[in-house]
Amino acid sequence: MTIPDQPTRRLLATALTLGLAGAVPAQAADPVDQKLQEYRQAAQTFGKTLKGELQAAMKQGGPMAAVSVCNQRAPEIAARLSEETGFTLRRTSLKPRATPPSDWERAVLEDFEARRADGEPPKSIEWHEVATVDGEERLRYMKAIGTQEVCLTCHGSNIDPALEAKIKKLYPEDQATGFEKGDIRGAFSITAPLGG
Ligand code: HEC
């Protein structure tokens, strides 16, 4: 093998640098990856905001007061974030209290249960697809929500009777009880046009 002389080496190095510089922006601009980052951020903001308000309300007025926070603030926070981001953002579950899943959401939630049964921890379980809806490409995203200790007060098996009565009054069709720590309580679901 012959070792290239100095000018040839410099030429090769320049060609390599230019080649790499050309390749990098094309990768970073992938529209699905970019939008997924925004979705993950929105889901995180939704979860954190709600949990913060829930914990504050539990501390201040106990679970009876906190039910009202979930009842009023969850839909409000979802609506505000949807407005700010332009995404359609919500929570859903196979055993819903307020927001039953659509057909495709149900299929994804069932897949999440299978992944959980295979040992995947809820916090790393997510999914996405690009679907054509009415001729428009939309990016659909779901992220599992795990059940923590604090959730059992209102979603567990031994719910205080007065609290249970209040929940039943607000949600006569409630199915969201009997959960255990580590179960998948539900999922964030986010959709938006891919191009917009
Ligand atoms: C003080 C009672 C209370 C506690 C504690 C609570 N929730 Fe809920 N949860 C509710 C109520 C009420 C709703 C219905 C809210 C609505 O109208 O969107 C709800 C709805 C949900 C939903 C939406 C899907 C569905 O079933 O309709 C998810 C997901 C959820 N809760 C997860 C959790 C998680 C995770 C925790 C713990 C971090 C938690 N909840 C703690 C009362 C509670």
Side-chain angles (χ1 to χ4, degrees), residues 27-151:
Q27 261 173 8
D30 182 69
V32 172
D33 278 352
Q34 229 166 39
K35 200 138 207 158
L36 275 178
Q37 290 307 327
E38 293 169 28
Y39 279 14
R40 288 190 185 107
Q41 186 67 47
Q44 201 183 39
T45 305
F46 189 10
K48 270 196 182 147
T49 309
L50 194 54
K51 199 170 166 207
E53 292 198 18
L54 176 72
Q55 277 170 336
M58 292 274 265
K59 213 167 162 185
Q60 224 176 15
M64 291 293 271
V67 168
S68 310
V69 167
C70 291
N71 171 244
Q72 287 162 24
R73 292 294 294 148
E76 276 172 18
I77 294 166
R80 180 175 57 80
L81 277 173
S82 293
E83 202 170 305
E84 278 173 17
T85 57
F87 311 150
T88 304
L89 214 123
R90 66 191 211 120
R91 297 183 305 167
T92 186
S93 171
L94 285 176
K95 287 178 36 169
R97 175 155 292 165
T99 40
S102 66
D103 288 346
W104 67 265
E105 285 172 330
R106 175 177 299 280
V108 174
L109 285 164
E110 279 166 358
D111 179 57
F112 281 6
E113 288 297 339
R115 287 167 65 177
R116 167 88 192 103
D118 282 345
E120 204 173 330
K123 69 172 173 201
S124 74
I125 298 180
E126 60 165 22
W127 163 96
H128 73 272
E129 74 170 7
V130 176
T132 306
V133 184
D134 298 330
E136 179 187 55
E137 281 202 318
R138 294 181 70 86
L139 180 62
R140 293 168 166 171
Y141 171 78
M142 286 180 80
K143 176 166 199 335
I145 303 170
T147 308
Q148 298 167 267
E149 194 79 44
V150 58
C151 320

Side-chain angles (χ1 to χ4, degrees), residues 7-25:
T8 313
R9 280 208 301 271
R10 211 176 294 132
L11 212 72
L12 281 171
T14 309
L16 201 68
T17 310
L18 285 175
L20 284 176
V24 168

